[in-house]
Amino acid sequence: MSLHLFYTPVEAIEVIIKSNLKKIYAETEKILLTGILGGIFIGVAGVGQLSILQSSNPTNEVFVKFLGATIFPVGLILCLLLGGTLFTGNCLLFVNYLKKDVGLKLILRNLILTWIGNFLGGGLVAYLSYFAGIFKSEPMQKIIVNIATNKLSLSYSENIFSGFLCNILVIAGIWLSTSSKDSAGKFYGCLFPIMLFVISGYQHVVANMFFITMAKITSPESVNFIGSFSTHFLPVTIGNFLSGGIFFPMVFYYLYVHKK
């Protein structure tokens, strides 16, 4: 029997599998639209985080970074409660492939459309934020350019490994949120794993869609946007997928789905 407020791991994976089927068989325009919503939610959370970080100084830098990390999880919370989808979370669709519920083609269709939707949503927030004057101040411009250039300075392998570690925590947040039966549990289930990946500086491809686009708009000479697709977005996507689409689905399937 399950606990009153939480699903057991076996029950939680069944909830995830059923939810995955709805995502996989959704119409193309719905997959794209929920992906756009996901990108928007992550983008507005990114603006909130940057608004906190702009006040950073040598005497309170660690504390300000912590505060910024507590703001960013709002993006995933909005996705889970309002219906936005993220490429990183949808990597879990591969549990259904291992279960032989669906074919590879349908899962890849969802992931590709969601990835594109996330980019469109994050880019939309970046442009709207720019025209709204949010990045007019020098501190805001400086912090977004610094964040983007630091991300783009990582090597190919660093992006992959950092992306891998990031999606361990994203999937953990999704799992904890799914396991909870009430909104408060879902909130806290998202908060701490996402806060941890932000503090640790791991690479989340959807978040970086917003940050790098915002930096390109704010300071075009600072970012090689076209080149970043092959040197940054691709390896981070691979890293996010390896943990969220290969490692976790295989572990969850073996532990909670596979019948010996």
Side-chain angles (χ1 to χ4, degrees):
M1 180 178 294
S2 63
L3 297 174
H4 180 63
L5 295 178
F6 293 91
Y7 291 111
T8 66
V10 173
E11 291 171 335
I13 196 65
E14 285 301 318
V15 172
I16 290 172
I17 288 171
K18 290 178 182 178
S19 176
N20 284 350
L21 286 174
K22 294 180 181 178
K23 295 178 183 179
I24 292 168
Y25 287 111
E27 295 91 338
T28 297
E29 60 272 18
K30 287 187 177 180
I31 297 173
L32 187 62
L33 182 57
T34 55
I36 292 172
L37 283 177
I40 289 173
F41 293 149
I42 293 299
V44 295
V47 173
Q49 181 190 9
L50 293 170
S51 299
I52 296 292
L53 292 177
Q54 70 169 324
S55 63
S56 179
N57 62 60
T59 61
N60 68 359
E61 184 174 356
V62 174
F63 179 67
V64 170
K65 185 177 181 180
F66 172 78
L67 287 179
T70 64
I71 296 297
F72 188 79
V74 172
L76 184 60
I77 292 167
L78 291 174
C79 286
L80 291 172
L81 296 182
L82 298 180
T85 57
L86 302 175
F87 168 84
T88 46
N90 279 11
C91 288
L92 270 180
L93 298 178
F94 270 83
V95 172
N96 293 67
Y97 176 73
L98 294 174
K99 195 171 180 287
K100 296 183 170 60
D101 283 342
V102 294
L104 185 61
K105 184 178 179 180
L106 282 174
I107 294 177
L108 292 177
R109 163 182 167 263
N110 180 283
L111 290 179
I112 292 170
L113 288 171
T114 302
W115 197 99
I116 293 171
N118 290 161
F119 216 120
L120 292 174
L124 177 62
V125 172
Y127 275 98
L128 291 176
S129 299
Y130 178 78
F131 290 118
I134 296 172
F135 287 84
K136 191 163 52 178
S137 68
E138 184 178 347
M140 284 292 278
Q141 292 178 9
K142 182 179 179 180
I143 193 67
I144 185 58
V145 171
N146 285 344
I147 287 175
T149 53
N150 285 337
K151 290 178 179 295
L152 294 175
S153 69
L154 296 174
S155 68
Y156 203 91
S157 61
E158 286 172 335
N159 280 320
I160 291 177
F161 288 116
S162 185
F164 186 98
L165 291 168
C166 174
N167 222 21
I168 286 178
L169 292 170
V170 173
I171 297 300
I174 292 172
W175 181 277
L176 291 175
S177 176
T178 302
S179 296
S180 177
K181 296 181 180 181
D182 61 12
S183 296
K186 292 181 182 299
F187 176 89
Y188 288 111
C190 287
L191 176 63
F192 294 108
I194 306 306
M195 185 172 65
L196 181 56
F197 104 63
V198 175
I199 290 175
S200 301
Y202 299 145
Q203 302 306 309
H204 184 272
V205 69
V206 182
N208 292 359
M209 291 171 180
F210 165 73
F211 289 128
I212 293 172
T213 302
M214 191 72 253
K216 179 63 176 178
I217 296 170
T218 303
S219 179
E221 70 281 359
S222 302
V223 176
N224 179 2
F225 192 68
I226 301 300
S228 67
F229 279 85
S230 59
T231 61
H232 181 80
F233 289 117
L234 178 59
V236 173
T237 297
I238 292 171
N240 289 162
F241 175 76
L242 287 175
S243 55
I246 302 295
F247 176 74
F248 269 122
M250 290 180 67
V251 170
F252 290 158
Y253 176 80
Y254 181 77
L255 291 177
Y256 307 126
V257 180
H258 176 65
K259 301 293 191 295
K260 294 183 180 180

